[in-house]
Amino acid sequence: MNILVIGGAGYIGSHIVYELNDAGHQVTILDNFATGLRENVDARATLVEGDMQDLDLLDRLLGSGQGNDGGQANSKADSSSLAGGIAGSDSDSHSTGKFDSVFHFAALKAAGESMEKPGLYSQANIIATINLLNTMMRHDIKNFVFSSSAATYGSPEYLPIDENHPQEPINYYGYTKLVIEQTMAWYSQLKGLRYAALRYFNAAGYDVQGRITGKEQNPANLLPIVMEVAAGTRAKMQVFGSDYPTRDGTCIRDYIHVNDLATAHVKAMEYLASENRDLTLNLATGEGYTVLEVIKEAEKVSGRPISHDITGRRPGDPAELVAASGQAFETIGWKASHSDLKQLVESMWNVYK
Ligand code: UFG
């Protein structure tokens, strides 16, 4: 299939691109390299450099499937030309795009930061994604694989969290993902969109084949920060809160390896194409680890001490997020196979050491 991966040079996107190419698909990447890294771009993919918020570029790309057409492949778009507003699609005429499916990874993802900069998150995560959906609809591209999040659930009312758990986000980031999930459900009903809402729990790890080695810059997530301390590029880290109602007082998360996320995405896309039904799935292992357990495992794997201070809670952090992950197995035959904590930390240490 001919696939557009927006944000295909980013941390998760780059892993998905490798998986799609391995599975024999034709891949075009649209990335503005705001956080993506050139060294992580799979050479088998066609690269279009530009910003998804450049609506003219998006329209041309989706209208032509140009990434695999020659056309403007590898063209440089002016990523500063951000178009404001939301592009409507209802009255526009339709053309036939050549992409069979669109994957979207070009979003902001730091739950803590979203509480300080909600305007930034609404623009990048809500407005840009609705513009994308409208552009897809205008060009009759119906299949969409969307990175949603466990953050849409908020504080668990019960554990493990299944897909029917109420969605009441407690950080603005989670809200941005929920708005898009709800919009996709409406567009499915009203416009024939076929979507997979993949609710990631905590993505971590690096390609087990060692093909992706560019490290995320200025990370806000636990594991890359732990790795930077182990590697000596960061002197010390903070543990945000030790008074949560958990076994050691620190937050529990369900960490999922990016290679496992990648296989799930390919299966989800194939499901949309073959079953013609929408999908909403948790992507997780069902196992939770505390912040201190993660630090301990990283000390063991790296053989280095990880200097940390216990500080106050970070706003917007639920105490525990652990998934019921069986639905993904039942519908798309997927379950995690690289995600036990040791394997996950080892795959990261191979990059950071
Ligand atoms: N943490 C620290 N110190 C740090 C960084 C994180 O103690 O320097 C703690 C956090 O407080 C939290 C845990 O480590 O308890 C995990 O934090 P992350 O920032 O790594 O991840 P979050 O759980 O906040 O969010 C992540 C992704 C979201 C996604 C969510 C789903 O960033 O995009 O997982 O569970 F939605």
Side-chain angles (χ1 to χ4, degrees):
M1 285 193 267
N2 190 11
I3 318 290
L4 176 64
V5 180
I6 303 178
Y11 168 57
I12 294 179
S14 59
H15 285 84
I16 306 296
V17 168
Y18 270 96
E19 185 73 23
L20 284 166
N21 278 316
D22 289 349
H25 298 290
Q26 271 183 289
V27 181
T28 297
I29 294 170
L30 173 64
D31 204 296
N32 66 359
F33 293 99
T35 56
L37 299 172
R38 284 170 211 283
E39 63 192 289
N40 289 346
V41 170
D42 186 340
R44 294 170 291 181
T46 301
L47 174 64
V48 177
E49 185 171 348
D51 196 309
M52 70 175 295
Q53 296 191 65
D54 177 343
L55 296 184
D56 288 338
L57 171 70
L58 195 63
D59 192 60
R60 276 186 280 123
L61 182 60
L62 269 65
S64 66
Q66 67 186 9
N68 286 313
D69 241 10
Q72 300 218 351
N74 296 309
S75 68
K76 292 208 178 195
D78 176 4
S79 57
S80 66
S81 64
L82 304 185
I86 294 182
S89 72
D90 302 307
S91 58
D92 296 324
S93 62
H94 285 235
S95 68
T96 306
K98 292 182 186 161
F99 292 113
D100 300 301
S101 195
V102 175
F103 288 59
H104 174 33
F105 301 102
L108 300 175
K109 62 165 183 175
E113 181 188 50
S114 76
M115 301 295 278
E116 288 153 22
K117 299 177 180 168
L120 189 67
Y121 275 70
S122 63
Q123 177 67 41
N125 289 11
I126 300 176
I127 295 172
T129 307
I130 292 176
N131 280 333
L132 169 63
L133 286 171
N134 285 342
T135 308
M136 285 174 58
M137 295 299 95
R138 193 159 63 243
H139 293 295
D140 255 342
I141 300 170
K142 300 293 193 189
N143 290 353
F144 186 53
V145 180
F146 177 66
S147 305
S148 188
S149 173
T152 60
Y153 294 119
S155 289
E157 288 178 15
Y158 56 84
L159 287 163
I161 301 169
D162 59 26
E163 287 82 353
N164 295 319
H165 186 284
Q167 290 178 290
E168 288 166 16
I170 63 165
N171 53 59
Y172 189 72
Y173 163 77
Y175 173 74
T176 67
K177 295 290 179 178
L178 180 58
V179 169
I180 300 304
E181 279 201 12
Q182 292 171 339
T183 301
M184 292 191 301
W186 279 107
Y187 277 31
S188 170
Q189 197 183 315
L190 302 173
K191 289 169 164 287
L193 175 73
R194 278 288 153 270
Y195 69 88
L198 302 179
R199 296 178 184 155
Y200 311 162
F201 280 63
N202 287 57
Y206 270 83
D207 183 38
V208 292
Q209 294 184 49
R211 296 171 296 184
I212 294 176
T213 54
K215 296 185 277 289
E216 278 189 288
Q217 302 302 303
N218 307 312
N221 289 118
L222 177 65
L223 264 155
I225 287 173
V226 167
M227 287 290 123
E228 288 184 354
V229 179
T233 54
R234 181 189 291 257
K236 194 178 233 193
M237 62 170 290
Q238 298 177 320
V239 171
F240 298 133
S242 61
D243 58 348
Y244 286 97
T246 61
R247 47 189 179 262
D248 63 19
T250 64
C251 289
I252 293 177
R253 294 290 182 273
D254 185 332
Y255 294 91
I256 178 83
H257 196 289
V258 270
N259 283 138
D260 284 330
L261 287 183
T263 53
H265 282 70
V266 175
K267 282 174 181 284
M269 176 193 74
E270 288 165 357
Y271 179 96
L272 295 185
S274 65
E275 304 297 316
N276 196 28
R277 289 173 64 187
D278 301 324
L279 265 180
T280 295
L281 295 175
N282 285 342
L283 297 182
T285 66
E287 287 278 326
Y289 297 96
T290 69
V291 173
L292 292 176
E293 286 165 352
V294 169
I295 290 175
K296 216 168 282 167
E297 186 64 36
E299 286 180 330
K300 212 191 298 172
V301 167
S302 66
R304 313 259 179 96
I306 293 169
S307 171
H308 59 273
D309 288 330
I310 309 265
T311 62
R313 292 182 176 195
R314 186 176 69 176
D317 272 347
E320 180 166 1
L321 287 175
V322 176
S325 58
Q327 182 81 13
F329 186 68
E330 281 158 37
T331 49
I332 59 169
W334 173 88
K335 67 174 193 270
S337 61
H338 299 292
S339 295
D340 76 61
L341 188 60
K342 180 165 179 276
Q343 221 179 345
L344 203 145
V345 171
E346 279 172 352
S347 76
M348 296 198 78
W349 184 237
N350 283 339
V351 171
Y352 279 84
K353 70 187 174 193

